Amino acid sequence: MDALNVYAAKMAPQQESLANGHRACQGCAELLAVRLVAKTLGQDFIIANATGCLEIVTSSYPHSAWKVPWIHVAFENAAAVASGVEAGIKILKKKGKYPVDREIKIIAQAGDGGTVDIGLQALSGALERGHDFMYLCYDNEAYMNTGIQRSSSTPYGASTTTSPSGSESIGQVTMKKNVVEIAVAHDIPYVATASPSYPFDLMEKVRKGAEAKGPAYIHVLAPCPTGWRLAPNLALSIGRLAVQTKVFPLYEVVNGQYRMTVSYKNHRPVADYLKPQGRFRHLKEADIAFIQQHVDSSYDRLLKKIEMSEG
Amino acid sequence: MAKRIGIEVSLAISEAVKLANVDAIAAYPITPQTHIVEHLSELVADGELQAEFIPVESEHSAMSVCAGTSAAGARTYTATSSQGLALMNEILFIIPAMRLPVVMTIANRSLSGPISIWNDHSDLMSVRDTGWIAIFAENGQEAFDLTLQSFKIAEDHRVMLPISVNIDGFTLSHVIEPHEFLDQAEVDSFLPPYEPLVQLNPDKPVSMGMVGIPEIYFEAKKAQDMVLIESKAVIKEVFKEFGEKFGRYYHVIESYRTDDAETLLMTMGSISETAMEAIDIMKDEQGRKVGLIRLRLWRPFPHEELRELLRGVKTLAVVDRAVSFGSPGGPVATEVRSALYNSENAPYVASFIAGLGGRDVTIEHFTTMVDMAERMAEQREVHEYKMIGVRE
């Protein structure tokens, strides 16, 4: 029945737990994604936020954009702090020291740096311990807050300030780390990829993740006009192109079962996704062909997992 | 009624944590702290303590989880040693800045390298400026009592700061000593349930840990320093109340046979027991005017009490259990000299470093230090520090 769950914009919750007036860059897709997450979750949730863009643009004292309880401690430990909040509330409820009638969802959120690099250990620990929480990685594919340095989530060929393209280098020389599969390997109830360019798909996944008993992990591709060297008005269309070119397929893994949630019959060439972005400006036809090959084989591997789940 | 029990000091600390009815414990194993959290996990597993025990994947996460549980409003405890404390370092600064009253036992152990599991104070000294209240226990009874008192001090709304209770690794953590336990009713009469000032609750949303722009950061730090300094009054108040209730009195600096003393030894931690024996011998058998003071409270540093205690004292021999590499003395001695520098009739301060990495500090070492300190004082010898008990 999930597939029949059709949204209309006017049916989306009206409430906004993330206030207007934060300090994100123009065209920031991350903040749009966060707003959609907050809309879906309503008011009964608590956020543990990693250091990063999202933290600094929403919490410059004395101004806070958060209408829900929110805590930031450090860069690499959002999952650990969320573990603590979850465990703390659980025991206080047991002891009758916290409202027992409320279902309060614990959310950890971080960028790709705080998730796939420095925060990976804390994330793995929290997923393995089975805390009832949802972790959201807003992946803009580099350390944007400190000025566009490469992370292990930066895609092959992208030029960043610490993986610059030059006569001896294509830019980022490694393939994007697949943290979604690392999350799946923890055997948790819910894992998904999502994109603010597909708002209803994203909201549906957030709802499912929140309803899952135990850890949920959602990896959101958050186009960053500043870091991707992209016109701000193109952030959402580039997000759609990421899906249409198979670069970032939208799927979910429910109790180990894979399912594509957004599919296209015909996919566009990966060049359509790469060309509008300044960070890929230096790529030659041969480089693009190589990336196309990699994207195709990754996608085929995913399809096999989906087939196995269906079989 | 109080009962006298022979028990390992680590287990006595766990029992105190249980009596404090702690809500959450997050810990990672590291020698010599492990017995404390092992016993706590048993108490939780056996249903004797209703608490969340979160077995984390690192000390960095242990302290991060503590931030989360404490911010949620749960009474929070952890324990660590040495490299574990070093790994927590980043988060240690944030806990007091966010006014989270976490209580932590540090079973003091030397820092690598070379790797050593044995006792000295280099781990605590490396986190001196993180903003935690730091208290030293000398024996098992003190460790038990101070653990209970720490929750009360930390959670006092005038304080709301984390506390470390320091016990010497192995030489204290792993010995079996007689302890006078308090029963649950006695503890409950002393330690009220934790009432958080603010907590993460959707009924009253708060933002914690926000960005401190230049217009506010300095003020935030001043406020934090003020509250740490002012916590001393609350610490003394809690010590007094505990003493009046249970007959065991604690002071920010403890004195041993200091009447008429012209030379004082100054120690922290379990070597003080050996130092007392040395003082007894020097006083009773040699008729020397010596005494001992031991620092209970390392942070906030009790400058005023120290100056008061040192009135009339000619020589002070400070025994450090850590090296501050390249500095003009052991970390405690440097602090003491700094506290006394502008006061009139300040005693001569001799700085000794002894007992690193589990090296024994003997009665003979203490008498040697007193002899050396008096000789150096007489000659007004300008010196940085001297190491005692090291092969040259």
Side-chain angles (χ1 to χ4, degrees):
Chain A
M1 289 296 284
D2 284 342
L4 300 175
N5 224 329
V6 178
Y7 269 105
K10 64 179 178 187
M11 288 165 68
Q14 296 292 311
Q15 63 198 4
E16 302 282 355
S17 295
L18 175 73
N20 300 325
H22 54 70
R23 296 156 187 240
C25 304
Q26 229 183 15
C28 173
E30 177 178 33
L31 265 286
L32 175 61
V34 174
R35 182 183 163 200
L36 293 169
V37 170
K39 243 182 186 316
T40 313
L41 293 171
Q43 277 161 334
D44 282 357
F45 69 105
I46 298 173
I47 296 172
N49 210 122
T51 309
C53 287
L54 179 54
E55 170 253 335
I56 64 150
V57 303
T58 58
S59 81
S60 194
Y61 185 87
H63 306 292
S64 174
W66 297 101
K67 297 182 186 174
V68 290
W70 181 91
I71 180 170
H72 157 252
V73 178
F75 190 13
E76 66 283 64
N77 66 354
V81 174
S83 301
V85 175
E86 187 260 358
I89 288 175
K90 193 159 108 192
I91 188 70
L92 291 178
K93 275 185 171 179
K94 252 187 221 166
K95 291 184 172 181
K97 296 189 214 164
Y98 202 93
V100 282
D101 50 330
R102 297 276 286 276
E103 274 287 322
I104 294 156
K105 197 68 206 175
I106 311 302
I107 305 297
Q109 54 187 21
D112 50 300
T115 302
V116 309
D117 286 343
I118 200 167
L120 188 60
Q121 179 181 313
L123 171 64
S124 175
L127 296 182
E128 175 271 326
R129 290 191 299 272
H131 294 279
D132 189 9
F133 82 120
M134 177 160 57
Y135 190 103
L136 287 133
C137 171
Y138 302 107
D139 180 6
N140 53 24
E141 301 193 321
Y143 291 84
M144 299 311 182
N145 189 37
T146 44
I148 325 170
Q149 293 85 18
R150 63 82 74 181
S151 77
S152 60
S153 204
T154 303
Y156 175 83
S159 185
T160 72
T161 56
T162 53
S163 66
S165 61
S167 61
E168 303 298 316
S169 179
I170 192 166
Q172 174 85 338
V173 294
T174 53
M175 294 296 171
K176 184 181 175 77
K177 190 193 278 181
N178 192 338
V179 177
V180 180
E181 289 303 311
I182 293 174
V184 171
H186 286 77
D187 213 2
I188 56 175
Y190 192 79
V191 178
T193 61
S195 162
S197 301
Y198 296 80
F200 302 124
D201 180 72
L202 184 146
M203 291 171 81
E204 183 64 6
K205 285 167 174 167
V206 169
R207 185 186 65 75
K208 283 186 183 174
E211 282 172 5
K213 290 281 165 249
Y217 176 86
I218 301 182
H219 196 96
V220 182
L221 185 69
C224 169
T226 310
W228 294 12
R229 292 167 190 145
L230 182 74
N233 62 331
L234 295 182
L236 288 186
S237 57
I238 207 77
R240 293 189 83 82
L241 280 165
V243 179
Q244 289 162 351
T245 57
K246 304 190 284 190
V247 167
F248 192 81
L250 293 176
Y251 64 102
E252 63 183 8
V253 188
V254 185
N255 296 316
Q257 301 297 302
Y258 287 73
R259 187 175 78 87
M260 200 71 84
T261 61
V262 174
S263 347
Y264 290 96
K265 277 199 180 121
N266 300 306
H267 291 102
R268 297 172 67 157
V270 78
D272 288 3
Y273 173 68
L274 301 176
K275 289 249 163 90
Q277 302 183 49
R279 61 177 175 159
F280 296 117
R281 179 189 296 137
H282 56 285
L283 295 184
K284 300 184 177 69
E285 286 309 315
D287 302 328
I288 293 173
F290 175 74
I291 293 172
Q292 181 72 61
Q293 221 173 20
H294 179 73
V295 164
D296 288 344
S297 69
S298 300
Y299 192 80
D300 289 345
R301 273 207 308 278
L302 176 63
L303 287 182
K304 288 203 177 83
K305 286 174 193 158
I306 291 168
E307 274 166 35
M308 275 170 64
S309 298
E310 286 165 348
Chain B
M1 265 305 288
K3 43 185 175 168
R4 206 169 149 83
I5 299 171
I7 189 172
E8 189 186 303
V9 172
S10 289
L11 305 197
I13 292 168
S14 314
E15 292 292 329
V17 173
K18 185 193 95 171
L19 286 163
N21 193 16
V22 78
D23 297 313
I25 302 146
Y28 186 81
I30 185 166
T31 303
Q33 153 271 156
T34 36
H35 289 188
I36 301 171
V37 295
E38 280 171 8
H39 189 55
L40 280 167
S41 69
E42 280 168 15
L43 293 170
V44 173
D46 294 340
E48 288 183 46
L49 169 62
Q50 196 183 19
E52 279 288 307
F53 186 90
I54 304 127
V56 285
E57 84 293 341
S58 75
E59 286 90 354
H60 192 281
S61 281
M63 195 43 72
S64 302
V65 167
C66 286
T69 55
S70 190
R75 179 170 283 170
T76 299
Y77 174 82
T78 186
T80 194
S81 296
S82 182
Q83 305 304 115
L85 188 68
L87 186 56
M88 284 178 181
N89 189 277
E90 183 202 19
I91 311 304
L92 292 178
F93 282 89
I94 303 172
I95 301 283
M98 292 179 74
R99 308 288 298 276
L100 298 171
V102 175
V103 172
M104 167 165 66
T105 304
I106 306 174
N108 298 113
R109 163 183 153 181
S110 50
L111 282 171
S112 289
I115 188 164
S116 159
I117 59 167
W118 290 277
N119 166 238
D120 66 30
H121 294 164
S122 47
D123 54 2
L124 178 71
M125 291 305 153
S126 76
V127 299
R128 185 190 66 181
D129 295 338
T130 52
W132 286 56
I133 297 172
I135 295 182
F136 270 91
E138 175 189 305
N139 55 41
Q141 186 67 58
E142 290 189 3
F144 177 87
D145 291 347
L146 289 168
T147 302
L148 286 169
Q149 292 173 78
S150 288
F151 286 102
K152 183 151 176 151
I153 296 163
E155 294 167 1
D156 188 294
H157 284 190
R158 293 166 292 172
V159 179
M160 294 299 286
L161 287 172
I163 299 191
S164 68
V165 180
N166 291 268
I167 61 160
D168 283 329
F170 290 118
T171 50
L172 189 51
S173 63
H174 282 52
V175 297
I176 295 171
E177 286 189 3
H179 296 77
E180 282 201 10
F181 273 22
L182 300 174
D183 64 29
Q184 192 65 60
E186 286 171 317
V187 171
D188 292 348
S189 76
F190 169 75
L191 179 65
Y194 173 40
E195 292 291 340
L197 262 176
V198 286
Q199 72 179 148
L200 295 169
N201 187 333
D203 287 336
K204 201 183 172 198
V206 287
S207 294
M208 297 185 181
M210 302 170 73
V211 178
I213 54 174
E215 286 74 10
I216 202 70
Y217 182 88
F218 202 170
E219 284 71 21
K221 290 292 119 177
K222 182 179 178 185
Q224 191 187 333
D225 190 36
M226 279 169 68
V227 80
L228 180 61
I229 290 166
E230 286 165 10
S231 72
K232 195 175 70 180
V234 180
I235 294 166
K236 286 170 137 181
E237 197 181 294
V238 171
F239 283 175
K240 187 159 174 269
E241 189 194 332
F242 188 89
E244 283 166 358
K245 263 199 149 81
F246 307 119
R248 290 191 291 276
Y249 288 88
Y250 290 84
H251 308 90
V252 293
I253 304 173
E254 303 288 352
S255 310
Y256 181 73
R257 301 188 72 182
T258 53
D259 293 344
D260 79 0
E262 291 178 359
T263 301
L264 290 184
L265 267 171
M266 184 172 181
T267 54
M268 293 198 301
S270 62
I271 61 163
S272 311
E273 306 241 314
T274 316
M276 284 181 199
E277 292 216 24
I279 295 294
D280 288 345
I281 291 168
M282 283 186 276
K283 264 187 129 80
D284 301 338
E285 294 174 19
Q286 301 163 4
R288 296 172 70 169
K289 291 185 172 176
V290 293
L292 170 75
I293 54 173
R294 55 192 173 99
L295 204 52
R296 163 93 51 225
L297 189 62
W298 167 236
R299 278 293 179 274
F301 191 84
H303 312 92
E304 291 156 351
E305 291 79 359
L306 180 71
R307 286 194 281 265
E308 187 62 33
L309 273 168
L310 292 180
R311 198 171 288 169
V313 172
K314 288 180 183 154
T315 309
L316 179 67
V318 181
V319 188
D320 265 289
R321 308 281 320 279
V323 183
S324 174
F325 296 104
S327 95
V332 182
T334 307
E335 194 91 353
V336 168
R337 282 176 179 151
S338 162
L340 298 177
Y341 186 74
N342 288 333
S343 60
E344 273 176 40
N345 303 317
Y348 179 85
V349 179
S351 167
F352 297 103
I353 294 173
L356 295 189
R359 180 69 52 87
D360 279 342
V361 186
T362 63
I363 290 173
E364 290 71 32
H365 286 142
F366 284 113
T367 51
T368 303
M369 284 188 262
V370 169
D371 290 346
M372 285 172 74
E374 286 180 347
R375 199 167 55 239
M376 287 151 65
E378 210 170 289
Q379 295 162 359
R380 303 305 292 180
E381 183 184 321
V382 177
H383 81 297
E384 277 71 44
Y385 61 90
K386 298 195 188 299
M387 286 186 170
I388 300 297
V390 67
R391 287 190 302 277
E392 286 174 0

